[in-house]
Amino acid sequence: YRDKFLNMELERKIKEKDKEKQIQKEKENYEKLNEQVKLAILGDGKAKLKVVEMLSPLIKYSIKRYCPIYKEYQDLYQDSVLIVLNCLENFDQKRSFPKYVKSYLRYFLLDTFRYLSQKPDMDSKDKEGEDILEKIEDNINIEKEYERKLENIALTKAIKELPPRQRQIIVLYYLENMSIKEIGQKMAISKWTVVSAKKKALKKLRSKINDNR
């Protein structure tokens, strides 16, 4: 029993040590990213490329989670890179840059998924029938599980604070999976009014979520 206890204690200490190393590594990666972000904001081209490289796992994770359509992966990745670069142009340095990028990627990819998923030939399978997105590495050291939960809470609160029409459109579109045309028919408004209201709602949601960070 003594040997068994010693082995268990040793195993526990090894796990604790590994966890400490992982936390330290995450902290170092985050600090390195912040350094590159600051340089990129000042116009350093190499730093911009480095930021994109460091956030590549976040881009892949976001595509896999929010727009898992294999045939469009390359285009989705390139569009997401442009979003990262655009975020660098508009970043106010008052919040976490990875979280700032993540919110923009999420809204863009969800919107894109709704559009692309209406096409019957879109899927996430390769020629062998395997899900290619399962092969995409999505290990993101920067992101924390509790941050994701807080974002979900902030999003729910922000949706409740939208004007009635905008709130209804967001709920029908994202939660009830209704198309723009179906929403227009249900609410007796034109599809262009639906599109306009949805864009305004998303802009407000982004603003409210960013303000809560």
Side-chain angles (χ1 to χ4, degrees), residues 123-152:
D123 57 52
S124 61
K125 307 294 183 180
D126 60 16
K127 294 180 179 179
E128 286 71 38
E130 297 182 3
D131 194 333
I132 192 67
L133 295 174
E134 292 299 328
K135 302 175 183 178
I136 299 175
E137 187 174 340
D138 58 7
N139 180 30
I140 304 172
N141 293 329
I142 299 171
E143 298 300 319
K144 304 291 184 181
E145 183 64 21
Y146 81 93
E147 290 178 342
R148 182 169 65 83
K149 292 180 180 178
L150 289 178
E151 286 181 353
N152 290 338

Side-chain angles (χ1 to χ4, degrees), residues 89-146:
E89 296 294 327
N90 299 293
F91 186 49
D92 57 12
Q93 302 188 57
K94 295 181 179 179
R95 68 202 82 177
S96 163
F97 186 71
K99 289 168 63 178
Y100 180 64
V101 171
K102 183 179 179 181
S103 65
Y104 274 89
L105 287 175
R106 180 173 64 245
Y107 287 119
F108 163 70
L109 291 169
L110 282 174
D111 234 12
T112 302
F113 179 74
R114 282 302 305 257
Y115 170 72
L116 293 177
S117 61
Q118 295 178 14
K119 297 184 178 181
D121 61 336
M122 295 297 175
D123 57 52
S124 61
K125 307 294 183 180
D126 60 16
K127 294 180 179 179
E128 286 71 38
E130 297 182 3
D131 194 333
I132 192 67
L133 295 174
E134 292 299 328
K135 302 175 183 178
I136 299 175
E137 187 174 340
D138 58 7
N139 180 30
I140 304 172
N141 293 329
I142 299 171
E143 298 300 319
K144 304 291 184 181
E145 183 64 21
Y146 81 93

Side-chain angles (χ1 to χ4, degrees), residues 1 10 12 22 27 30 39-43 51-52 68 77 82 84 93 102 150 153-154 171 173 190-192 205:
Y1 288 104
L10 178 60
R12 183 183 66 81
Q22 181 65 23
K27 182 179 179 181
Y30 189 80
L39 291 173
I41 291 174
L42 295 175
V51 170
V52 170
Y77 188 89
L82 293 178
V84 173
Q93 302 188 57
K102 183 179 179 181
L150 289 178
I153 293 174
V171 170
Y173 188 77
S190 72
K191 65 178 183 179
W192 303 117
L205 289 176

